Amino acid sequence: MAELFDYDAELRRYHRRLLDEMFVSPDDHVLDIGCGAGQTTRAAAGLAVRGSALGVDVSPAMVARARRLSADEGLRNVRFEEADAQVHPFAPAHFTVGISRFGTMFFADPIAAFTHIGRALAPGGRFVQLVWQDSRRQEWATAIHHALVGDDSPVPRATEKPFSLADPATVHGILTTAGFTDIQIIDVREPICLATDPEVAVDTVRVLRMVGDELARLDADGTERALERLREVMAAHSTGDGVWFDSRAWLITAHR
């Protein structure tokens, strides 16, 4: 189920925001961390017409899909690798631009990972990434929590992935220690689309840890009641263009 989820559709508004900040030139060599199905990598390749773009992701299914889509578009300056950016042997100082759309919050050791990625960037190379803000600032997380617990209790602050980079001071410290400079962290607010219809949206969020953990604590009747409340929430946020929720992210730029 998770592999079939269309992250490109979910993050379509954030995709535009990232494109506006990438500033990829025709001669750039771009590294895309956590590329998923390769939408951002292909966009970068389309701008780096005399350069190249490499997308890496740990999901073999996503990498396979990215390769198929790139072949369909006839792109010749883009490639994809099934790889963990934390340890993959990138060519040193090769890439002039690094990008990531919600792909850097899952590192086991963020300082080591960003240091490793930094070594792959040429001196002066620019790194642009999007990461989620605090879970309590996500309408989707708040709505799902209230549906599962059945009341208006405060949403607990999540510090685990994918919210591990939600604190700007922590991010600034990590990137500074990893050798990055000129760090800027900008507040970005865009809606996300969970699915085309409410029932699919329920199936989609059931793969999230926050949902699975809560449902695991319930008996059969409690689970059914929680799922019914979840269906009602998704229906309330359904439009003719999908099931939409507000969200907040940080747009982070830095230089090597």
Side-chain angles (χ1 to χ4, degrees), residues 215-235:
L215 291 178
R217 288 192 282 267
L218 303 175
D219 59 21
D221 289 340
T223 296
E224 186 50 44
R225 289 193 297 270
L227 290 176
E228 184 56 36
R229 291 191 297 268
L230 201 54
R231 294 185 188 99
E232 293 172 357
V233 166
M234 297 306 174

Side-chain angles (χ1 to χ4, degrees), residues 56-128:
V56 297
D57 200 284
V58 296
S59 167
M62 286 295 185
V63 170
R65 183 187 298 178
R67 288 170 175 162
R68 289 195 300 270
L69 292 172
S70 294
D72 291 344
E73 293 182 18
L75 294 172
R76 298 181 179 277
N77 64 334
V78 64
R79 62 191 180 91
F80 298 93
E81 293 188 19
E82 180 189 338
D84 185 345
Q86 300 176 91
V87 296
H88 186 69
F90 298 113
H94 173 71
F95 300 97
T96 52
V97 179
I99 62 174
S100 181
R101 189 187 67 187
F102 302 106
T104 58
M105 305 95 61
F106 303 93
F107 295 147
D109 185 336
I111 291 176
F114 283 114
T115 300
H116 180 70
I117 292 168
R119 295 191 187 106
L121 296 176
R126 191 164 180 267
F127 190 29
V128 186

Side-chain angles (χ1 to χ4, degrees), residues 34-53:
C35 66
Q39 183 185 44
T40 47
T41 324
R42 297 193 304 277
L47 297 170
V49 291
R50 293 190 297 271
S52 65

